[in-house]
């Protein structure tokens, strides 16, 4: 077995691990409002979302194609690697980018911060690309058109659509009794949340498919033209679909809590309007191959539902902290990706890849153990939000459980 093949195996395993973290980190995008309003029980919600993520992953490969050609420039027009890269170095580049994405996902999950798994992945890849090839290694036009512009517009558009939709829902249904209205909208939430889960699987699983395809391109097994002509190998689609579904079933309770309880106190009509607008925008972007962040869309929709409901209170301070996290995602993941690449290249070959893999495992273990100090799960995910706990350090043993989870 060659060194390149072993590193390729590490890259594929790590890519699937990223897909898994993407699943549990982003479960709240689809199910937070349904859990918050009681339309679905926490365990039923994540199980339903997992199944629909699995199905959605098989519906399209447009975004996967975007990842292979619109983020990094590692392949020439004749199918070879660009000057300065050999297969081993190219695989280490992709490996380093994945580590940047995974560690940012885990760090933001620890603090219950809804951030973009997609942008964490792209940031890691861009950082590793800059460290290995300089500015010429990044497809800047593709990054701007397919990543940065949608990232700036998506929350605003989703918020506007959800605000209008929420206002119309309350206007149309004002004559109905609250008991019948809430029951009807809870059933509506089940349908719209299912659509968001399907859309999430369609969009986000493809990003990992694209990374694995990129690794196979670096190894020489695939080409961009071959993917465009014949599609992705079926095993990539199946494994990525299963990985994101398993991660979704695990339930990212910390992020679900922030989205469901931290931004606005959500009622069933708001939840249905928010989820419907999210699903429409995510499915449209996937159709056009735009690597849109489902987190940005879902958060914008939830905020819009608060703006659209008369008398609703929006916690703009929580939203502001989310925006800061969004702005840090690309550069923070890029720094981790670049540092990992530099370390791996300095050590060299397979030992370098093993070193950064061990660093990933160690950092992941530390984050997981830290999370056990303030456990958030399906039993306390809907506890009342406490405004005063945002200043309490995670894991402070002197605070009550309901206060600690509010920070998450």
């Amino acid at each position: 077995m060659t060194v390149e093949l072993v590193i390729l195996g590490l890259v594929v395993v790590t890519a699937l691990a990223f897909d898994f973290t993407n699943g549990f980190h982003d479960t709240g995008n689809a199910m937070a409002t349904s859990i918050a309003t009681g339309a679905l029980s926490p365990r039923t919600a994540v199980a339903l979302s997992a199944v629909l993520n699995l199905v959605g992953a098989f519906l399209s490969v447009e975004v996967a194609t975007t990842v292979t050609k619109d983020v990094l420039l590692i392949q020439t027009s004749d199918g070879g690697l660009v000057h300065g890269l050999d297969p081993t170095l190219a695989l280490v580049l992709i490996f380093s980018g994945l580590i940047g994405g995974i560690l940012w996902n885990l760090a933001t999950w620890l603090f219950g911060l809804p951030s973009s798994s997609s942008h964490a992945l792209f940031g890691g890849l861009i950082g590793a690309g800059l460290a290995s090839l300089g500015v010429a290694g990044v497809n800047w036009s593709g990054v701007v058109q397919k990543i940065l512009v949608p990232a700036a517009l998506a929350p605003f558009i989703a918020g506007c659509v959800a605000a209008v939709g929420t206002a119309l829902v309350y206007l149309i249904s004002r004559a109905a009794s609250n008991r019948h209205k809430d029951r009807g909208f809870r059933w509506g939430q089940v349908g719209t949340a299912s659509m968001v889960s399907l859309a999430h699987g369609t969009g986000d699983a493809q990003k990992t498919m694209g990374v694995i395809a990129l690794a196979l391109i670096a190894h020489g097994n695939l080409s961009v033209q071959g993917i465009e002509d014949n599609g992705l190998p079926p095993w990539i689609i199946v494994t990525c679909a299963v990985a994101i579904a398993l991660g979704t079933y695990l339930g990212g309770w910390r992020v679900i809590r922030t989205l469901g309880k931290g931004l606005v106190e959500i009622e069933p009509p708001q939840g249905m309007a928010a989820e419907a607008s999210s699903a429409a925008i995510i499915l449209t972007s996937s159709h056009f191959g735009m690597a849109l962040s489902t987190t940005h869309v879902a958060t914008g929709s939830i905020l819009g539902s608060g703006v659209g409901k008369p008398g609703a209170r929006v916690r703009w301070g929580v939203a502001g902290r989310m925006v800061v996290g969004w702005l840090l995602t690309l550069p923070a993941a890029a720094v981790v990706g670049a540092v990992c690449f530099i370390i791996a290249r300095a050590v060299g070959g397979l030992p370098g890849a093993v070193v950064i893999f061990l660093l990933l495992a160690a950092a992941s273990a530390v984050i997981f153990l830290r999370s056990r100090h303030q456990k958030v799960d399906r039993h306390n995910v809907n506890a009342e939000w406490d405004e005063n706990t945002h200043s309490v350090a995670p894991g402070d043993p002197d605070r009550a459980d309901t206060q600690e989870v509010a920070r998450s």
Side-chain angles (χ1 to χ4, degrees):
M1 185 177 290
T2 66
V3 169
E4 291 173 13
L5 193 58
V6 174
I7 297 176
L8 176 62
L10 285 175
V11 171
V12 171
V13 170
T14 306
L16 294 175
F18 171 82
D19 206 23
F20 182 83
T21 67
N22 190 351
F24 75 74
H25 193 285
D26 290 1
T27 308
N29 297 340
M31 292 299 172
T33 60
S34 296
I35 293 171
T37 64
L40 289 168
S41 70
R43 181 53 68 194
T44 300
V46 297
L48 176 62
S49 186
V51 171
L52 291 169
N53 267 284
L54 180 68
V55 174
F58 291 92
L59 299 183
S60 171
V61 294
E62 291 300 322
V63 175
T65 303
T66 294
V67 174
T68 62
K69 61 186 177 65
D70 288 336
V71 180
L72 296 178
L73 295 173
I74 67 169
Q75 191 177 39
T76 61
S77 57
D78 62 1
L81 291 174
V82 298
H83 178 70
L85 278 187
D86 57 43
T88 298
L89 204 58
L91 288 169
V92 169
L93 185 165
I94 297 165
F95 192 14
S96 302
L98 283 166
I99 292 173
I102 290 174
L103 291 182
W104 183 255
N105 268 358
L106 293 177
T108 50
W109 163 77
L110 177 64
F111 292 103
L113 182 65
S115 69
S116 172
S117 298
S118 307
H119 291 174
L121 173 61
F122 298 143
L125 290 173
I126 289 169
L130 288 171
S132 59
L133 297 170
V135 293
V138 180
N139 185 349
W140 295 108
S141 62
V143 168
V144 171
Q145 294 172 17
K146 295 293 183 75
I147 299 172
L148 296 183
V149 171
L153 295 179
F156 177 75
I157 294 172
C160 290
V161 172
V164 172
T166 302
L168 289 174
V169 162
Y170 275 100
L171 180 64
I172 294 169
S173 64
R174 62 184 176 181
S177 68
N178 286 335
R179 184 169 67 88
H180 289 96
K181 181 166 61 177
D182 282 356
R183 181 184 300 173
F185 282 120
R186 282 194 174 99
W187 278 109
Q189 275 192 277
V190 174
T192 52
S194 298
M195 289 174 61
V196 177
S197 293
L198 193 69
H200 181 259
T202 303
D204 279 42
Q206 290 185 60
K207 292 157 192 170
T208 306
M209 296 178 200
V211 172
I212 294 176
L214 197 63
L216 292 173
I217 289 170
H219 190 256
N221 300 90
L222 279 179
S223 67
V224 172
Q225 189 60 50
I227 294 171
E228 291 178 344
D229 293 341
N230 305 313
L232 292 171
W235 70 266
I236 295 179
I237 300 172
V238 172
T239 53
C240 289
V242 171
I244 199 169
L246 290 174
T248 301
Y249 183 71
L250 183 66
W253 303 113
R254 299 165 110 69
V255 178
I256 289 174
R257 175 164 173 75
T258 302
L259 285 172
K261 303 296 289 186
L263 290 172
V264 294
E265 291 298 328
I266 297 174
E267 294 181 350
Q270 293 169 266
M272 192 186 79
E275 289 158 359
S277 65
S278 294
I281 292 168
I282 295 166
L283 286 171
T284 301
S285 69
S286 294
H287 176 72
F288 289 106
M290 289 187 292
L292 200 64
S293 165
T294 55
T295 301
H296 290 185
V297 174
T299 304
S301 295
I302 292 170
L303 287 171
S305 74
V307 172
K309 182 193 174 222
R313 179 191 174 199
V314 179
R315 297 187 181 97
W316 293 108
V318 177
R321 291 196 291 274
M322 289 184 190
V323 172
V324 171
W326 294 353
L327 294 175
L328 291 175
T329 297
L330 275 168
V335 168
V336 175
V339 169
C340 286
F341 180 83
I342 292 169
I343 292 172
R345 183 168 58 181
V347 175
L350 181 58
V354 171
V355 166
I356 60 174
F357 182 78
L358 292 176
L359 288 175
L360 169 64
S364 300
V366 169
I367 292 171
F368 175 77
L369 292 174
R370 181 64 173 168
S371 73
R372 298 299 87 191
H373 291 291
Q374 48 166 33
K375 189 175 180 180
V376 182
D377 58 21
R378 61 192 176 93
H379 300 294
N380 58 9
V381 69
N382 269 344
E384 289 301 314
W385 188 268
D386 188 336
E387 292 284 3
N388 297 321
T389 57
H390 67 272
S391 61
V392 179
D396 189 335
D398 297 327
R399 302 305 297 260
D401 287 344
T402 54
Q403 290 178 317
E404 286 179 345
V405 297
R407 171 73 162 85
S408 298

